[in-house]
């Protein structure tokens, strides 16, 4: 992800969070963990709102003060981060985007008299003239989002409401109150992802060595500056089960949006660091992947764990190192169109020879077929799959079939970082 990335390519994001603690010794600190990681990706996303939503059963209070504490820690390292990517926003700019939501939750608290600075910020973000849609990542309940939608539906014509919904997207970590089903039923044209088990791939199953307390201490909290020190290192304090180290159950909501060349937010079934989803457009929920012989929803996230944890390590290092001392993502470049239509037997040339690395590191290329997003289920072989230029021969098919080919470009820096491209091949008989 190059430093010159235009603002127009950055996804627009509003977060609603039921953040309820800043420390690992009480409550459920995974929202705080996710907020710390989000700050490291503030250059990849245009953050337009950080809304403190209801903490629900934890008391009728919202903690925008906790969001401010994380942004303050970010502000202490922002200038160092900007050495590596000049498009990190200032802490002052992020402070302006923090807003309190409703301390109450649920449909009973949606309607006249329930507008909040948080619901107003959602409306303002969507109304801002911009061709990019606004993604609302709901880490807790969706009461403030429901209020924003209620307000627009009350104040505007059906045509204006339709235009508003067309500019809005939702990635919700479950239905944590009854407003999620209410939104989907009342606004069926809204693109809405309900993540029910996928998010648990951040910390369950997969390679456990990348989420331990020891890993967190070594790569995040110890000696990485005030932002790393603000990351609560879980030690079994989660009320929903003993967790040690990383939880970050809300993080997939923004990993899903990262413009690293892997996913397409408008295509939930494609899969990305934030998981993969199926459904009847525009409403989606968990899909499953098979990794190492195990089929699960969580696999759609943990299959990428080594890559997104390496990125976490690298960016924590940015908080206290010079550009020359740090590692930065390679630039994966694909020759030819990302979507191709071919006939059976036709050779598809896959060319990443133009890929570069900002640090001058050596690059390794890997091409592989990601079967679940595609429709073709037969065997396929990519010739020279670990070379910059590879070839795939289109199979014989009886009806149009799609094949998703993933390019991974990985440098040999420390830690090794990966960028992606995807080629979607449609084979037509």
């Amino acid at each position: 992800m190059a430093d010159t990335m235009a603002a127009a390519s950055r996804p627009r994001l509003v977060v609603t969070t039921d953040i309820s603690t800043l420390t690992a010794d009480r409550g459920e600190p995974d929202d705080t963990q996710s907020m710390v990681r989000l700050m490291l990706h503030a250059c990849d996303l245009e953050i337009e709102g950080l809304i403190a939503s209801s903490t629900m059963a934890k008391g009728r209070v919202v903690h925008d003060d906790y969001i401010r504490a994380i942004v303050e820690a970010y502000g202490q390292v922002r200038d160092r981060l900007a050495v590596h990517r000049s498009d990190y926003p200032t802490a002052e700019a992020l402070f302006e985007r923090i807003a309190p939501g409703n301390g109450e939750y649920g449909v009973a608290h949606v309607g006249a008299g329930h507008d909040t600075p948080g619901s107003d910020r959602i409306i303002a973000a969507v109304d801002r003239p911009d061709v990019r849609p606004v993604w609302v990542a709901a880490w807790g309940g969706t009461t403030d989002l429901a209020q924003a939608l209620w307000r627009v539906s009350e104040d505007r014509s059906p045509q204006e409401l339709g235009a508003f919904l067309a500019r809005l997207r939702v990635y919700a970590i479950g239905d944590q109150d009854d407003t999620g089903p209410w939104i989907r039923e009342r606004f069926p044209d809204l693109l809405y992802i309900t993540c029910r088990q996928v998010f648990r791939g951040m910390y369950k199953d997969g390679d456990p060595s990348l989420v331990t307390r020891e890993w967190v201490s070594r790569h995040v909290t110890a000696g990485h500056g005030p932002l790393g020190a603000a990351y609560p290192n879980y030690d079994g304090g989660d009320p929903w089960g003993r967790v040690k180290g990383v939880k970050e159950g809300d993080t997939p909501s923004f990993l899903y949006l990262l413009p690293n060349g892997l996913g397409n937010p408008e295509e939930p079934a494609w899969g990305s660091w934030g998981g993969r989803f199926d459904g009847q457009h525009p409403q989606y929920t968990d899909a499953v992947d098979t990794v190492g012989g195990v089929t699960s929803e969580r696999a759609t996230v943990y299959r990428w764990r080594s890559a997104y944890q390496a990125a976490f390590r690298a960016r924590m290092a940015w908080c206290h190192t010079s550009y020359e001392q740090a590692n930065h993502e390679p630039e994966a470049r694909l020759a030819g169109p990302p979507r191709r239509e071919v006939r059976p037997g036709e050779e598809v040339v896959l060319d990443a020879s133009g890929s570069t690395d900002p640090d001058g590191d050596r690059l390794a290329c890997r091409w592989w077929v990601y079967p679940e997003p595609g429709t073709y289920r037969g065997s396929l072989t990519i010739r020279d799959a670990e070379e910059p230029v590879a070839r795939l021969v289109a199979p014989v098919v009886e009806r149009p079939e799609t094949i998703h080919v993933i390019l991974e470009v990985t440098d040999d820096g420390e830690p090794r970082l990966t960028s992606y491209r995807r080629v979607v091949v449609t084979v037509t008989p």
Side-chain angles (χ1 to χ4, degrees), residues 249-312:
D250 302 304
T251 295
S253 66
F254 63 86
L255 293 185
Y256 178 82
L257 300 174
L258 295 184
N260 60 9
L262 177 59
N264 178 346
E266 299 297 315
E267 299 283 358
W270 281 19
S272 69
W273 284 2
R276 200 173 67 80
F277 303 91
D278 285 332
Q280 189 68 38
H281 182 78
Q283 296 185 6
Y284 299 86
T285 191
D286 299 4
V288 297
D289 281 0
T290 300
V291 178
V294 176
T295 300
S296 77
E297 302 92 340
R298 299 171 187 173
T300 69
V301 169
Y302 73 65
R303 71 181 308 152
W304 315 106
R305 185 179 293 163
S306 62
Y308 61 69
Q309 290 297 81
F312 193 19

Side-chain angles (χ1 to χ4, degrees), residues 1 260-261 329-332 407-410 417-421:
M1 290 170 281
N260 60 9
E329 294 92 344
E331 177 70 20
L407 165 67
E408 294 180 352
V409 177
T410 304
L417 299 177
T418 302
S419 295
Y420 307 85
R421 288 295 180 267

